[in-house]
């Protein structure tokens, strides 16, 4: 049952009624409140909106605390791929899944952002949440680091038509001139599992429930966003610095 604080309208009704609260029995008070709500249904919406605003603020405050506590893990994890300028003055973190349609749709905007800003550093966090095929693709991408192919492989997977699965992943690896036997072996490397596990822990702490999700400085931005919004968020970080 949703419990909400008495709205200002209801409080006013109670304060102006001829019978004071002290003179009312519990049943009389309940009946009076119910009657007031029936006569003023907007009271319910006002109270629900107040509750929602408080919950949203509480979640935002919690996310801020988690971001502050995990800033090093999010931005400086040596086991997370970095693209763009490794020494850039602004760091953006992206959580994604290769089988996420929104991630693929946002990919071009992310690339445009990197292309337009030579001082931007992007940390890529593999977060495969859309089934075992996504897990396979993430493990393969992380394993491709051993052959110095991560960024190429990542870009190819994001631009792939169709679902990322074992067949398409290995096909793309061959097209990029990779040793697929080594790739499969390297998928079992401990650093591959560690990266994915860290992504799971971070997203749980941040209360994320879908991909893509971005972190721009102190701002958590869940969901797909467009190039102009990305640019504005980066500009905010620089202005604040």
């Amino acid at each position: 049952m949703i419990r909400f604080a008495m709205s200002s309208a209801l409080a006013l009704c109670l304060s102006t009624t001829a019978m004071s609260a002290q003179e009312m029995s519990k049943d009389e008070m309940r009946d009076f409140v119910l009657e007031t709500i029936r006569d003023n249904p907007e009271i319910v919406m006002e109270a629900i909106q107040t509750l929602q605003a408080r919950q949203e603020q509480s979640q935002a405050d919690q996310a801020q605390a988690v971001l502050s506590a995990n800033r090093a893990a999010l931005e400086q994890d040596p086991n997370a791929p970095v693209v763009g300028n490794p020494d850039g003055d602004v760091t953006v973190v992206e959580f994604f899944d290769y089988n996420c349609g929104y991630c693929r749709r946002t990919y071009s905007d992310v690339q445009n952002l990197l292309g337009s800003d030579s001082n931007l550093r992007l940390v890529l966090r593999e977060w495969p949440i859309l089934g075992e095929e996504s897990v396979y693709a993430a493990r393969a991408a992380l394993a491709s680091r051993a052959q110095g192919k991560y960024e190429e492989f990542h870009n190819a997977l994001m631009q792939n038509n169709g679902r990322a699965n074992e067949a398409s992943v290995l096909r793309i690896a061959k097209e990029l001139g990779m040793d697929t036997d080594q790739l499969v072996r390297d998928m079992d490397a401990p650093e591959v599992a560690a990266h994915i596990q860290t992504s799971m822990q971070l997203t749980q702490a941040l209360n994320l429930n879908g991909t893509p999700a971005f972190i721009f400085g102190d701002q958590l931005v869940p969901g797909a966003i467009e190039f102009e919004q990305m640019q504005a968020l980066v500009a905010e970080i620089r202005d604040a610095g």
Side-chain angles (χ1 to χ4, degrees), residues 154-174:
H154 169 78
N155 292 339
L157 286 170
M158 278 297 188
Q159 297 176 81
N160 177 52
N161 291 321
R163 192 165 179 81
N165 53 33
E166 181 176 355
S168 62
V169 165
L170 295 180
R171 171 181 56 78
I172 290 170
K174 288 180 181 178

Side-chain angles (χ1 to χ4, degrees), residues 20-35:
S20 70
Q22 289 81 4
E23 296 171 333
M24 285 184 177
S25 69
K26 182 178 179 180
D27 288 342
E28 287 172 331
M29 177 63 78
R30 182 196 61 210
D31 292 342
F32 177 74
V33 170
L34 290 174
E35 181 179 353

Side-chain angles (χ1 to χ4, degrees), residues 22-203:
Q22 289 81 4
E23 296 171 333
M24 285 184 177
S25 69
K26 182 178 179 180
D27 288 342
E28 287 172 331
M29 177 63 78
R30 182 196 61 210
D31 292 342
F32 177 74
V33 170
L34 290 174
E35 181 179 353
T36 301
I37 290 174
R38 282 195 294 268
D39 293 341
N40 303 273
E42 68 276 7
I43 291 173
V44 177
M45 290 306 301
E46 179 185 338
I48 290 175
Q49 289 169 357
T50 299
L51 176 61
Q52 289 175 334
R54 289 176 180 173
Q55 289 176 331
E56 289 172 0
Q57 185 59 52
S58 176
Q59 291 172 350
D61 292 343
Q62 181 181 0
Q64 284 295 314
V66 172
L67 284 175
S68 297
N70 293 277
R71 178 58 58 86
L74 287 162
E75 295 187 353
Q76 303 298 332
D77 181 3
N79 194 28
V82 174
V83 297
N85 184 346
D87 300 315
D89 66 333
V90 172
T91 296
V92 177
V93 182
E94 179 185 5
F95 290 88
F96 64 93
D97 183 307
Y98 289 114
N99 283 316
C100 165
Y102 293 106
C103 298
R104 290 183 179 181
R105 190 179 307 170
T106 305
Y107 168 77
S108 61
D109 289 313
V110 172
Q111 292 302 113
N112 288 338
L113 184 68
L114 289 170
S116 67
D117 191 332
S118 61
N119 212 16
L120 187 67
R121 179 175 178 271
L122 176 64
V123 177
L124 293 170
R125 290 232 61 106
E126 304 272 351
W127 186 29
I129 57 174
L130 297 177
E132 289 302 315
E133 292 176 333
S134 291
V135 173
Y136 189 93
R139 290 173 61 218
L142 292 165
S144 71
R145 294 180 295 181
Q147 299 184 51
K149 292 284 190 176
Y150 179 84
E151 187 169 1
E152 289 179 70
F153 200 29
H154 169 78
N155 292 339
L157 286 170
M158 278 297 188
Q159 297 176 81
N160 177 52
N161 291 321
R163 192 165 179 81
N165 53 33
E166 181 176 355
S168 62
V169 165
L170 295 180
R171 171 181 56 78
I172 290 170
K174 288 180 181 178
E175 291 172 353
L176 294 176
M178 297 173 63
D179 182 334
T180 55
D181 290 334
Q182 179 187 342
L183 181 70
V184 172
R185 289 194 302 271
D186 290 337
M187 286 170 63
D188 292 326
E191 58 267 26
V192 169
H195 175 98
I196 295 173
Q197 180 61 30
T198 299
S199 294
M200 297 297 180
Q201 292 170 346
L202 288 169
T203 53

